[in-house]
Amino acid sequence: MKTKFKMLTLSTVTALTLTFVGQSYAASNPFSDLTNIAAKDKIVALHDQGIVRGITNEVFAPNETITAAQGVQLIVNAANLNLDLVRFLKEPKVTDYYKNANDDAWYANTLITAVVNGVELPADLDPNMKWTREEFTHQLIRTIEAHSNLPLIKLVPVEIKDSADLTIDYEGSIQRALAYQVVKLDAQGNFNPKAEISRAEAAEQIYNVLEYIKAHPAPSPEPDQDPASPTSPKRSATSTSPIIPGTK
C-alpha cells in the first residue's frame, strides 16, 4: 500500500527574512560597507551567485559575528543542500531535532534541511548563539567533504601554535581546512579557534572552499565501479542517510 507524503515548503515571508539565501539573486548590489574589507571581491562574487546577501541591499555588516543559524544557512547554500527529493510521513518541525529552536523562526527550514542531509549539529544547538572560528570551519569542511566528492589527499599536518585551544573533535577538520587553503594561520602561527567568526570571514571561507572544489575535481569512477561503493577512491555524496521523522 502506498503512503501519501507531505513536503515542507518555505513561505514567501520566511524566504525574505533569511540572512543568507540559496536562491539566485538577479543583480549585483555592491555593498557600501566593504571598502576596507580584504574579502570584498569574494563577498561580492558570492552575492552575485546568490549564495550570500546583506542585512539590507546596501549593507553587508562584514564585522558582525554570525550566529549558528546564519552559519548553517551559509553552509547549506554553499553545499547546495535541499529537500527536493525528500518525502516526509508528517510535516517536520525544527524542534523535532533541536529542542532550543523555534518552529516559527526564519531558520526552521534551514536547520531541517541541514539535519536531513546529514549535517551533524548538536541536539542542544542554540540557533542564536554566536559561532566561533573552529565551529564554523569544522561544520563547513565536514559538510563539503560529504557532499562534494572531493578527491582524497595525503594530509601533512601543520603546526598550529595555539592547538591546545582547539576542541579535540575539530582538530582534523581544521587541519584539512588548512590543506584545502580554506583558512590560514595568522602571522604568529595561531588559528584562534575560540574567537568569534565574522560574516566576512565566514563568506571568505565559503568562497575559498568553492574555489578548491573547482580546482580539484574528483577523478571519474571506472566504468564498472559504483561511485557509492566503499572501495571507491573518492568520497561519496550519498554517504549520509536522511533522518526523517516517522521513518525507521
Side-chain angles (χ1 to χ4, degrees):
M1 181 176 68
K2 293 185 178 180
T3 305
K4 293 183 178 179
F5 299 95
K6 290 184 178 180
M7 280 292 293
L8 180 71
T9 58
L10 270 175
S11 69
T12 302
V13 174
T14 301
L16 291 175
T17 62
L18 300 181
T19 300
F20 299 109
V21 295
Q23 296 178 344
S24 175
Y25 201 70
S28 175
N29 290 294
F31 301 111
S32 62
D33 57 349
L34 296 181
T35 302
N36 298 315
I37 302 300
K40 173 185 176 180
D41 291 343
K42 295 180 179 181
I43 294 169
V44 171
L46 291 175
H47 172 267
D48 290 346
Q49 296 172 51
I51 295 176
V52 305
R53 67 178 296 178
I55 60 174
T56 72
N57 284 342
E58 297 181 352
V59 177
F60 185 75
N63 296 317
E64 286 190 9
T65 303
I66 63 168
T67 64
Q70 292 172 347
V72 173
Q73 171 127 37
L74 187 54
I75 292 170
V76 163
N77 289 348
N80 195 27
L81 306 182
N82 57 65
L83 301 174
D84 291 352
L85 301 179
V86 180
R87 297 295 182 268
F88 295 96
L89 293 176
K90 66 182 184 68
E91 184 172 305
K93 296 182 181 297
V94 69
T95 50
D96 293 336
Y97 307 101
Y98 305 111
K99 61 182 181 181
N100 295 323
N102 183 337
D103 289 323
D104 297 321
W106 66 265
Y107 56 70
N109 192 74
T110 292
L111 295 185
I112 293 170
T113 300
V115 70
V116 168
N117 282 278
V119 179
E120 298 179 2
L121 299 167
D124 61 351
L125 177 78
D126 178 357
N128 298 311
M129 180 182 67
K130 293 181 178 180
W131 253 4
T132 63
R133 298 188 76 236
E134 67 171 3
E135 286 172 315
F136 179 81
T137 305
H138 170 72
Q139 295 296 348
L140 172 63
I141 295 302
R142 288 288 299 274
T143 302
I144 291 297
E145 287 177 339
H147 294 277
S148 297
N149 290 336
L150 289 177
L152 296 176
I153 62 171
K154 183 177 181 180
L155 183 65
V156 180
V158 301
E159 180 183 4
I160 302 175
K161 295 293 186 180
D162 56 352
S163 60
D165 297 332
L166 284 170
T167 298
I168 190 167
D169 291 340
Y170 299 167
E171 189 168 1
S173 299
I174 304 305
Q175 284 286 351
R176 296 195 301 279
L178 290 166
Y180 300 149
Q181 299 181 12
V182 173
V183 296
K184 295 180 180 179
L185 302 178
D186 65 17
Q188 289 71 46
N190 296 316
F191 180 70
N192 302 305
K194 297 299 190 289
E196 294 177 352
I197 186 168
S198 70
R199 286 165 53 86
E201 290 177 303
E204 183 171 23
Q205 286 196 29
I206 292 294
Y207 181 92
N208 290 346
V209 80
L210 294 179
E211 286 297 298
Y212 184 88
I213 291 169
K214 287 193 294 185
H216 300 83
S220 299
E222 295 296 327
D224 317 315
Q225 192 171 27
D226 179 1
S229 169
T231 60
S232 176
K234 67 177 183 176
R235 305 179 197 275
S236 172
T238 58
S239 60
T240 55
S241 301
I243 306 170
I244 305 172
T247 66
K248 295 183 178 180

